[in-house]
């Protein structure tokens, strides 16, 4: 049974601070990990992916992966009100690439001006 | 370039009716995915196509759900004898399908299905 767990929130962070979003997964065979952002009434939009242990940075976003602990996180630096959205963690168990993703329920992030 | 498109954007039907939802993937993407998202939940995987064939249909909830992709591009998700519990947003995504571990899926705007 593939499971991806996220705290549903809401997570409230002051503008300009660092927002930290966490995700755990159950399947040790999971190979790649994705963070999507979803605004209310819209479809998921890819922020970044990670598949190697450690940190991966892209602008204000940093993804962190620890396969031993089955844990992946997303840090958002210098949070802006426009970052307010639901953040979905998704996991691809297959090592072959294309496959259906298993999503968590998402964390609702609110950036307070 | 053009992203994934889905039609209709909204569909209201009555319990017991048949519906078809259409997805047009990004040009050149060989992999196509259908997901279903209920309020407050993450997307739930339904089926994945590589080219014309269904590579994984393990997420289809029952035999009322069926999907096709006859020419390896546009896909249609078909739901027979709809039930109120089928009400959700149906999302389509596509990816290059190149086999890389980070083959990235891009989502369409979704079809909101309401079964009365």
């Amino acid at each position: 049974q593939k499971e991806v767990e996220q705290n549903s929130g809401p997570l409230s962070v002051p503008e300009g601070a660092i927002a930290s979003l966490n995700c755990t997964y159950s399947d040790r065979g999971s190979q790649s990990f994705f963070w999507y952002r979803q605004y209310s009434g819209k479809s998921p939009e890819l922020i970044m992916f990670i598949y190697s242990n450690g940190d991966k940075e892209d602008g204000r976003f940093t993804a962190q992966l620890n396969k031993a602990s089955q844990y992946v996180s997303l840090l958002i630096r210098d949070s802006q009100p426009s970052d307010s959205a639901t953040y979905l963690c998704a996991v691809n168990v297959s090592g072959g690439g294309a496959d259906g993703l298993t999503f968590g329920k998402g964390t609702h992030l609110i950036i307070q001006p | 370039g053009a992203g994934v498109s889905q039609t209709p954007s909204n569909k209201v039907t009555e319990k017991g009716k048949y519906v078809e939802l259409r997805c047009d993937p990004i040009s050149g993407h060989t992999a196509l995915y259908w997901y279903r998202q209920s309020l407050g939940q993450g997307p739930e995987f339904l089926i994945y196509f590589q080219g014309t064939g269904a590579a994984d249909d393990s997420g289809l909830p029952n035999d009322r759900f069926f999907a096709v992709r006859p020419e390896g591009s546009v896909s249609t998700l078909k739901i027979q004898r709809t039930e109120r519990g089928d009400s959700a947003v149906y999302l389509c995504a596509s990816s290059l399908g190149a086999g890389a571990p980070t083959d990235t899926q891009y989502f369409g705007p979704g079809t909101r299905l309401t079964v009365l």
Side-chain angles (χ1 to χ4, degrees):
Chain A
Q1 180 74 16
K2 308 174 196 176
E3 291 185 352
V4 177
E5 299 289 339
Q6 294 182 259
N7 187 324
S8 61
L11 173 65
S12 186
V13 173
E15 183 176 357
I18 296 175
S20 178
L21 305 161
N22 305 315
C23 173
T24 59
Y25 58 95
S26 62
D27 195 322
R28 283 198 173 275
S30 300
Q31 295 292 322
S32 50
F33 308 86
F34 302 81
W35 283 101
Y36 285 85
R37 177 175 62 197
Q38 188 171 30
Y39 293 113
S40 181
K42 302 294 185 182
S43 62
E45 170 193 11
L46 180 73
I47 297 175
M48 61 191 306
F49 62 82
I50 186 168
Y51 61 92
S52 297
N53 275 327
D55 295 1
K56 178 182 179 183
E57 186 174 320
D58 184 0
R60 294 188 297 114
F61 299 96
T62 299
Q64 299 175 317
L65 174 61
N66 184 326
K67 288 187 178 180
S69 300
Q70 296 176 241
Y71 176 92
V72 58
S73 65
L74 179 71
L75 302 178
I76 307 174
R77 288 182 299 282
D78 188 23
S79 297
Q80 303 297 310
S82 60
D83 294 327
S84 298
T86 295
Y87 288 79
L88 297 164
C89 173
V91 175
N92 181 343
V93 175
S94 169
D99 201 354
L101 297 175
T102 301
F103 282 83
K105 291 185 178 182
T107 298
H108 184 203
L109 176 66
I110 300 172
I111 305 300
Q112 296 176 319
Chain B
V4 178
S5 61
Q6 293 186 246
T7 55
S9 55
N10 280 283
K11 177 70 177 178
V12 180
T13 191
E14 294 180 343
K15 180 176 178 293
K17 298 291 187 182
Y18 168 84
V19 297
E20 289 189 352
L21 311 179
R22 175 189 166 106
C23 173
D24 197 345
I26 293 171
S27 178
H29 281 193
T30 63
L32 184 147
Y33 313 79
W34 284 99
Y35 294 84
R36 175 171 71 174
Q37 187 174 26
S38 300
L39 194 63
Q41 304 294 314
E44 172 194 10
F45 169 73
L46 297 177
I47 186 170
Y48 146 55
F49 287 89
Q50 183 64 261
T52 60
D56 182 358
D57 65 357
S58 61
L60 294 177
N62 52 59
D63 61 5
R64 295 187 298 103
F65 288 75
F66 189 71
V68 295
R69 195 185 185 199
E71 298 178 357
S73 179
V74 171
S75 175
T76 304
L77 178 65
K78 308 181 181 192
I79 311 174
Q80 298 177 321
R81 305 183 304 279
T82 52
E83 299 178 356
R84 292 192 180 89
D86 297 336
S87 297
V89 175
Y90 288 80
L91 294 164
C92 177
S94 71
S95 72
L96 282 171
T102 53
D103 192 49
T104 303
Q105 298 182 25
Y106 298 92
F107 283 83
T111 293
R112 181 175 298 278
L113 175 66
T114 303
V115 182
L116 301 176

